[in-house]
């Protein structure tokens, strides 16, 4: 299994993805990214402050590429699928984060409108690990991995550089297909499963062009 890291230009990259995990099914002739070919799988998307691995579905990858189209992006491809729970590795800024978590293990319940992570992370993500350099490495194995303890450590380490917060996301299996046409998503033929909502759509399956 080999991997290839591509620095993407800003804007539309002219690539169509499909499936889970996202797979290249077409590279437009005028695409500015000619270093890739059909059949490669998108493994990781890297943007400033965040590394997103095991992106579950093509529609989710396309929405993230659109959201970050005006910043530096690196997309890591593999020639064979490598699956696992979606993982968001966040490089935390100094100061408050504007996120609220509850439970054991902690689950993100609120991303405030003024948070730097608004649009990047979402409610329902589970905190997998908190690393504060020279202070702690909190996770399930370390014990006491509660919302209270993690929140307390985040508050106490607001002036510490190099903090890392790792989040995971549980995703369901779609009962239908979501098709995308450039930036507009077509839901024709999509049969929503129990609990489906428009806000959750981008975490379901389907294909996309971007």
């Amino acid at each position: 299994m080999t991997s290839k890291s591509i620095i993407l230009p800003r804007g539309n990259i002219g690539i169509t993805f499909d499936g889970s995990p996202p797979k290249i099914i077409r590279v437009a002739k005028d695409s500015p990214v000619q270093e890739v070919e059909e059949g490669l799988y998108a493994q990781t998307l890297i943007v400033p402050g965040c590394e997103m691995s095991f992106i579950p579905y093509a529609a989710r990858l396309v929405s993230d590429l659109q959201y970050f189209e005006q910043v530096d992006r690196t997309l890591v491809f593999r020639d064979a699928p490598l699956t696992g729970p979606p993982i968001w590795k966040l490089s935390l800024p100094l100061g408050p984060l504007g996120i609220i978590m509850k439970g054991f293990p902690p689950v993100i319940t609120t991303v405030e409108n003024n948070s730097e992570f608004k649009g990047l992370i979402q409610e329902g993500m589970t905190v997998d690990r908190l690393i504060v350099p020279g202070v702690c490495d909190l996770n399930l194995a370390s014990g006491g991995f509660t919302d209270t303890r993690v929140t307390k450590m985040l508050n106490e380490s607001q002036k510490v550089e190099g903090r890392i917060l790792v989040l995971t996301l549980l995703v369901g299996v779609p009962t239908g297909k979501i098709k995308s046409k450039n930036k507009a998503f077509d839901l024709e033929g999509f049969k929503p499963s129990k609990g489906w909502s428009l806000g959750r759509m981008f975490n379901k399956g389907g294909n996309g062009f971007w």
Side-chain angles (χ1 to χ4, degrees):
M1 183 182 297
T2 59
S3 63
K4 178 186 295 187
S5 296
I6 304 295
I7 299 176
L8 303 178
R10 299 186 179 188
N12 194 315
I13 61 175
I15 296 177
T16 303
F17 298 91
D18 188 19
S20 174
K23 179 182 179 179
I24 296 177
I25 61 172
R26 181 175 177 270
V27 180
K29 291 182 179 180
D30 59 351
S31 169
V33 184
Q34 293 295 327
E35 306 97 314
V36 297
E37 62 275 355
E38 295 177 7
L40 290 180
Y41 292 86
Q43 174 66 38
T44 301
L45 174 62
I46 303 171
V47 298
C50 183
E51 182 176 308
M52 295 168 272
S53 299
F54 302 109
I55 298 173
Y57 301 109
R60 172 71 202 218
L61 173 61
V62 170
S63 69
D64 288 332
L65 287 171
Q66 292 173 355
Y67 187 83
F68 295 105
E69 66 177 348
Q70 295 303 321
V71 301
D72 295 330
R73 304 168 295 174
T74 298
L75 197 52
V76 180
F77 295 92
R78 291 185 179 272
D79 58 3
L82 185 62
T83 59
I87 298 174
W88 267 236
K89 182 179 179 182
L90 307 175
S91 299
L92 302 182
L94 300 179
L97 304 180
I99 60 177
I100 299 173
M101 60 188 71
K102 293 183 179 180
F104 171 81
V107 174
I108 304 298
T109 58
T110 303
V111 182
E112 297 175 350
N113 290 331
N114 61 349
S115 171
E116 291 190 26
F117 299 109
K118 187 71 174 180
L120 176 60
I121 65 174
Q122 64 189 62
E123 290 84 359
M125 284 184 158
T126 299
V127 179
D128 184 72
R129 187 178 184 185
L130 170 63
I131 302 172
V132 180
V135 180
C136 69
D137 185 346
L138 300 181
N139 52 63
L140 278 175
S142 67
F145 197 51
T146 64
D147 58 323
T148 301
R149 188 181 182 196
V150 174
T151 300
K152 183 174 182 291
M153 182 54 63
L154 286 171
N155 289 335
E156 292 177 350
S157 63
Q158 290 188 25
K159 296 182 180 181
V160 178
E161 295 184 346
R163 297 182 300 169
I164 298 293
L165 186 66
V166 180
L167 305 177
T168 61
L169 176 66
L170 297 178
V171 294
V173 177
T175 57
K177 196 174 220 181
I178 297 176
K179 297 180 180 180
S180 68
K181 299 177 180 178
N182 293 330
K183 293 186 178 182
F185 283 86
D186 179 9
L187 298 182
E188 182 179 358
F190 179 67
K191 298 179 180 179
S193 58
K194 183 178 181 181
W196 182 88
S197 68
L198 184 63
R200 295 178 181 175
M201 180 180 70
F202 295 107
N203 298 321
K204 301 293 184 182
N207 59 26
F209 170 80
W210 190 244

